[in-house]
Amino acid sequence: EMNVKVPDEISVVGYDNIDMAQFLTPPLTTVHQDFHEMGRKAAEILLGKMTGNSGRKKFNGKIRLVPELVVRESSSAPKK
């Protein structure tokens, strides 16, 4: 509507890598989070606390899950 060209004039990046991101025009660059792994880790911690068995690793209150950048056509390097 504003006649801004993506990605020529501005890059657009989404978060959560929803299914329709790949079908937009242009396809949306996005960040993918592994929700399945998040749920698995949460269940593992919860079960460990419920049973008093936290397994080999003691939970210290922090879990690090690295998201993945999915580069599609809605982003580009800055123009010089």
Side-chain angles (χ1 to χ4, degrees):
E1 292 177 5
M2 297 175 60
N3 294 319
V4 177
K5 295 177 184 156
V6 176
D8 297 332
E9 297 175 312
I10 190 170
S11 289
V12 178
V13 179
Y15 207 83
D16 288 345
N17 195 24
I18 60 172
D19 290 335
M20 71 184 260
Q22 63 187 318
F23 301 114
L24 298 172
T25 304
L28 183 64
T29 295
T30 186
V31 177
H32 173 77
Q33 298 183 90
D34 191 342
F35 293 115
H36 178 79
E37 182 65 10
M38 283 183 198
R40 193 186 73 71
K41 290 280 189 188
E44 183 180 291
I45 292 164
L46 180 59
L47 287 171
K49 289 188 175 288
M50 290 170 61
T51 62
N53 178 13
S54 57
R56 294 181 309 204
K57 295 181 185 178
K58 180 80 173 152
F59 177 60
N60 66 358
K62 295 182 181 180
I63 298 288
R64 181 181 169 137
L65 298 174
V66 179
E68 174 190 357
L69 178 63
V70 181
V71 179
R72 295 191 181 105
E73 297 171 34
S74 69
S75 62
S76 67
K79 306 293 187 244
K80 292 185 179 184

